């Protein structure tokens, strides 16, 4: 399902995304039309080490700029927010060996659900289930890579005005599903990230409960604009559609190993 956003909604979402990446970065290097978000503590984390193009930039200069700013990393990743800018950048980046993928921006357009019963948890409680999930998602991943991907959540505590890690538990107290909720009540916007269910608890409704909790808390905090991102090529965006989300825009991702 696709929904046409109002004239004010996309700038709000785009601004939130730019701030999200800037705020969690250990260091930021600006360039015309964008910036590099970098964190040497988590060099294996693409989410913490990449370029984000959020304005007009020189497409032909972008591959060399990525090499200059990301050359110390095992990956190269460039996000481009605007469709027209992305179209202009695609040729130069693909000639430099980058592959293109699309990520949907999905806005919650359905009714606000009742609280799903998830509760706030700390980093310690999520370490073990998150590590297990990363090993499931990335077969053959090294211990160092898992460590970076798990521990990067500490940097995300600074990514918004109000950050909450939410989890729903089994009757035995085991973490079954979890999600990150990023709130900016003053701007009335909330971002939802990294919804994951432990393998042993898939198909039992836990993801729906933790997502319902995030949406309920966001609305309770006065955030009328609630959104998340979902890979265009993967199935979850269809599940999000059934949960009241609609595609409002696309973020373009260019990656080279």
């Amino acid at each position: 399902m696709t929904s046409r956003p109002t004239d004010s909604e996309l700038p709000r979402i785009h601004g939130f995304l730019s701030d999200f990446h800037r705020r969690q970065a250990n260091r930021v290097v600006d360039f015309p039309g964008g910036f590099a978000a970098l964190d040497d503590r988590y060099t294996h984390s693409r989410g913490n080490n990449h370029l984000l193009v959020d304005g007009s930039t020189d497409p032909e200069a972008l591959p060399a700029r990525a090499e200059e700013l990301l050359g110390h990393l095992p990956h190269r990743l460039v996000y481009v927010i605007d469709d027209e800018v992305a179209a202009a950048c695609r040729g130069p980046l693909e000639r430099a060996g980058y592959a293109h993928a699309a990520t949907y921006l999905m806005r919650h357009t359905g009714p606000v659900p009742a609280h799903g019963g998830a509760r706030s948890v700390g980093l310690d409680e999520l370490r073990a289930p998150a590590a297990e999930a990363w090993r499931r998602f990335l077969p053959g991943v090294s211990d160092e890579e898992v460590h970076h991907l798990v521990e990067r959540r500490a940097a995300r505590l600074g990514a918004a005005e109000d950050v909450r890690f939410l989890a729903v538990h089994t009757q035995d107290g085991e973490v079954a599903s979890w999600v990150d909720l990023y709130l900016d009540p003053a701007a009335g916007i909330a971002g939802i990230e990294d919804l994951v269910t432990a393998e042993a608890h898939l198909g039992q409704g836990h993801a729906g409960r933790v997502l319902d909790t995030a949406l309920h808390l966001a609305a309770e905090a006065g955030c009328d604009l609630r959104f998340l991102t979902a890979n265009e090529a993967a199935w979850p965006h269809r599940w999000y559609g059934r949960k009241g989300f609609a595609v409002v825009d696309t973020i373009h991702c260019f990656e080279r190993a």
Side-chain angles (χ1 to χ4, degrees), residues 12-236:
R12 288 169 67 193
I13 295 174
H14 291 169
F16 184 96
L17 284 172
S18 292
D19 288 345
F20 174 84
H21 288 275
R22 281 184 178 275
R23 290 177 61 128
Q24 71 173 310
N26 182 253
R27 57 192 175 97
V28 172
V29 180
D30 289 292
F31 59 83
F35 58 92
L38 302 166
D39 197 324
D40 294 333
R41 297 170 296 179
Y42 315 115
T43 52
H44 291 290
S45 171
R46 289 158 172 79
N48 295 79
N49 294 276
H50 54 263
L51 304 190
L52 191 145
V53 178
D54 54 4
S56 297
T57 197
D58 180 354
E60 295 295 338
L62 199 53
R65 199 181 303 279
E67 200 62 32
E68 174 192 357
L69 295 170
L70 306 178
H72 61 293
L73 299 166
H75 66 269
R76 310 284 184 272
L77 180 62
V78 180
Y79 293 115
V80 184
I81 288 181
D82 182 80
D83 286 339
E84 291 186 10
V85 176
C89 293
R90 185 165 183 168
L93 286 169
E94 288 185 340
R95 287 193 295 272
Y98 285 77
H100 172 265
T103 298
Y104 287 140
L105 281 178
M106 302 186 72
R107 179 192 55 162
H108 186 244
T109 59
V112 176
H115 196 294
R119 60 176 175 82
S120 293
V121 295
L123 297 173
D124 289 345
E125 193 167 354
L126 292 178
R127 280 193 173 94
E132 182 277 328
W134 280 116
R135 291 190 170 93
R136 170 165 47 108
F137 298 147
L138 302 172
V141 67
S142 70
D143 289 343
E144 182 179 67
E145 289 172 298
V146 170
H147 178 75
H148 287 196
L149 293 169
V150 170
E151 295 303 320
R152 71 179 186 179
R153 186 170 262 110
R156 291 193 168 185
L157 286 168
E161 288 298 321
D162 184 351
V163 178
R164 308 183 195 183
F165 304 138
L166 306 172
V168 65
H169 296 72
T170 66
Q171 289 185 343
D172 296 330
E174 186 177 353
V175 173
S177 188
W178 60 95
V179 75
D180 298 354
L181 176 61
Y182 301 93
L183 302 168
D184 186 346
I189 185 168
I192 296 168
E193 290 276 339
D194 290 346
L195 174 56
V196 181
T197 299
E199 186 173 25
H201 305 298
L202 291 169
Q204 299 171 31
H206 298 300
R209 290 177 57 202
V210 78
L211 180 59
D212 285 352
T213 301
L215 291 168
H216 183 90
L217 293 175
E220 191 174 70
C223 298
D224 65 297
L225 182 52
R226 302 171 291 275
F227 79 96
L228 50 74
T229 60
N231 192 314
E232 179 189 44
W235 65 266

